[in-house]
Amino acid sequence: MTQLGLFQGSDVLPPSLQEAIEHGEVFTRGWVVELLLDLVGYVPERDLARLVIAEPACGRGAFLGPISRRLGESCRRHGRGLEDALGSVVAYDLLESNVEHSRVLVHQELAAQGWDADEARRCAQHWVGQGDYLLARPTASGADVVVGNPPYIRLEDVPAARMAAYRSAHPTMGGRADVYVGFYEAALRSLNPGGVLGFICADRWMHNQYGARLRELVGREYSVDVVLSMHDVDAFEEQVAAYPAITVLSSRPQGEVVAAEATRSFTPQDAAQLVEWCRAGGGGLERWGVRAVRLPHWFSGGDFWPAASPARLALLEDLTDRFPTLEDPHGATRVSIGVATGADKVFITTDPDIVEPECLLPLAMVRDIASGTFTWQGHYLINPWTPAGNLVCLDDLPRLRRYLTAHAAVLRRRYVAVKQPERWYKTIDKVDHSLIGRSKLLLPDMKTTIHPVLDEGGFYPHHNLYYITSQDWDLRVLGGLLISGIAEAFVHAYGVKMRGGTLRFQAQYLRKIRVPHPGRIGDKVQAALSKAFERRDVAVATEAALDAYGLDHLPD
């Protein structure tokens, strides 16, 4: 069996990185390690000496101890000596003290099983080496299993030169990506065909922008096998706010996925039951400490992966498979955002006489829809655009010229004006005059619940409002679908959650909502949705929406 090569490069760490590593060490509880090893199939019943298992950041041996026990037991079961397993484990750590501690631990574990002390010491020396996993150069074919808890290191704590090397080696580390993103990429690319990766790590990469490249890589080349959310579980030796999840990925075509959620009461007994359930097959698992379902496949591409209970994930996947998105790719139904000016204090007014009447557009603001019905508060957009989409000539509009000139200093400081100084009085967004007379659903950017309100025409939306227009939908019927619990489930699963339970109803999340074709919703259901929208009755809207989607209930 060939062996993975260890780190090639300097073992001397810059002081800032040494400190970051030491501060970023978060050690995993033993029973959680055992759970992860079970989930990746690293069990003594298998001939583990035939496999290569890698531990990218071994720390003080939280994973190496159980790995050594399982590997030693497997060798006895399969009639092997430890010499057969010299190339079966490859562990890295940046800190020399951690390497020495892990070697002692491995030696003790193997000796406690009755293996020869010299053989155990040789394995410990051979298995654990000092090095930077992200800059390692494997000399062999790869790993069959990679497990661990990648370090939690903030981007700003890594020296610039080393971070540049990390990014060059691992292109998924885009934007403000945490270092652990690079560990995922390096581990995945090291897998042999059919190989398995199991990490317990922060799950933020699944749900935010900096994880997009990693999600795209996974969706394109690997399989998501298990996602176990453990946000409330005491999984580490120290208290950390890390939003952890166990993620099992493999180098094979995408197949069935276990989606599970552990509660605060998750115990080793629950973990054992989860493993047994995963192996046995069958329907969903519902215990006090854990809930799990099987999904036929996972959500594809670089888009955000949803965060929800297992039952909700199953619902969302089913609806995603059966229904089109809210925004029609052919443009019949569109989701957009209102006009951004770059200087609201200049371009928004309540004075109808401040410029020429043809330069004022009634503006829809968030406060206009707060009650659930559209009530205009008298704001206007000072509009520098012609219906043809060109900037107006200020010489033809003396009142507008006088007003904008008085505010020229502010307007010229904006980025759009610096970039195009001759167009210094433009708004950031061009005004689409055809939108003014159209009916549209208006939704505020931030609110605790989804809040569509109908503008029957005559107003232009401000940039704190998103809007939906449609050639196919009766917007009252669509509004009824949107206030239902089903539509909100999509935004809850994909959207950003802020303090106090506030959600962001941005276009990228609204576009995730799946809807039935309007022509396939019966008249009775359409009437119920329309009435529920007008009355702001979420319960009735949800009941009618269940009928429209062909569902019998909305799971928690």
Side-chain angles (χ1 to χ4, degrees), residues 282-535:
L285 174 67
E286 190 78 32
R287 287 175 62 91
W288 183 255
V290 63
R291 299 179 292 179
V293 297
R294 286 184 172 84
L295 308 179
H297 53 76
W298 191 242
F299 303 86
S300 62
D303 287 343
F304 301 115
W305 290 351
S309 71
R312 282 284 176 95
L313 286 177
L315 170 72
L316 295 178
E317 187 176 53
D318 171 58
L319 296 180
T320 298
D321 287 345
R322 292 197 291 125
F323 296 104
T325 55
L326 170 62
E327 184 169 79
D328 185 334
H330 304 295
T333 301
R334 292 180 54 222
V335 181
S336 304
I337 190 171
V339 61
T341 69
D344 280 356
K345 290 183 178 179
V346 176
F347 284 107
I348 297 177
T349 183
T350 56
D351 183 352
D353 299 316
I354 199 166
V355 297
E356 286 81 1
E358 61 268 32
C359 297
L360 291 174
L361 294 180
L363 190 66
M365 306 280 284
V366 169
R367 69 192 70 178
D368 299 333
I369 66 172
S371 67
T373 58
F374 188 83
T375 306
W376 187 50
Q377 305 293 310
H379 290 89
Y380 295 92
L381 174 71
I382 295 175
N383 175 30
W385 300 96
T386 70
N390 302 312
L391 275 177
V392 298
C393 177
L394 294 182
D395 289 340
D396 297 335
L397 299 160
R399 290 160 62 187
L400 178 64
R401 182 186 62 220
R402 185 166 55 250
Y403 175 80
L404 294 178
T405 301
H407 295 282
V410 172
L411 297 180
R412 289 183 183 277
R413 284 197 298 267
R414 298 172 304 150
Y415 175 76
V416 292
V418 172
K419 189 176 179 181
Q420 295 180 294
E422 74 284 358
R423 295 162 65 87
W424 60 270
Y425 56 95
K426 64 176 287 190
T427 53
I428 292 176
D429 296 326
K430 187 178 291 188
V431 169
D432 176 7
H433 286 75
S434 69
L435 179 63
I436 301 166
R438 297 189 65 181
S439 297
K440 44 200 166 288
L441 291 173
L442 304 174
L443 298 98
D445 179 3
M446 294 186 289
K447 202 166 178 65
T448 55
T449 59
I450 194 165
H451 188 73
V453 174
L454 181 63
D455 161 25
E456 299 197 52
F459 299 89
Y460 205 90
H462 181 246
H463 70 90
N464 284 338
L465 290 172
Y466 290 86
Y467 65 89
I468 300 169
T469 57
S470 182
Q471 299 170 16
D472 295 338
W473 282 95
D474 176 331
L475 290 182
R476 289 178 174 81
V477 175
L478 180 57
L481 277 179
L482 293 180
I483 68 170
S484 75
I486 297 175
E488 192 159 291
F490 278 93
V491 180
H492 267 280
Y494 285 101
V496 173
K497 289 84 173 174
M498 304 177 70
R499 290 181 180 177
T502 299
L503 297 172
R504 299 296 301 274
F505 292 93
Q506 296 173 312
Q508 59 187 326
Y509 309 131
L510 295 172
R511 292 181 181 123
K512 290 289 186 183
I513 298 172
R514 300 285 174 147
V515 295
H517 188 280
R520 297 176 183 170
I521 303 176
D523 292 344
K524 184 177 179 180
V525 175
Q526 291 208 31
L529 289 168
S530 181
K531 183 176 291 187
F533 174 66
E534 291 177 351
R535 296 180 177 179

Side-chain angles (χ1 to χ4, degrees), residues 54-58 90-94 131-133 146-149 151 183 187 199:
E55 220 283 55
C58 65
V90 180
Y92 297 78
D93 202 87
L94 276 168
D132 187 336
Y133 181 77
V146 182
V147 294
N149 172 13
F183 277 81
F199 278 169

Side-chain angles (χ1 to χ4, degrees), residues 136-150:
R137 296 293 183 267
T139 59
S141 58
D144 300 295
V145 182
V146 182
V147 294
N149 172 13

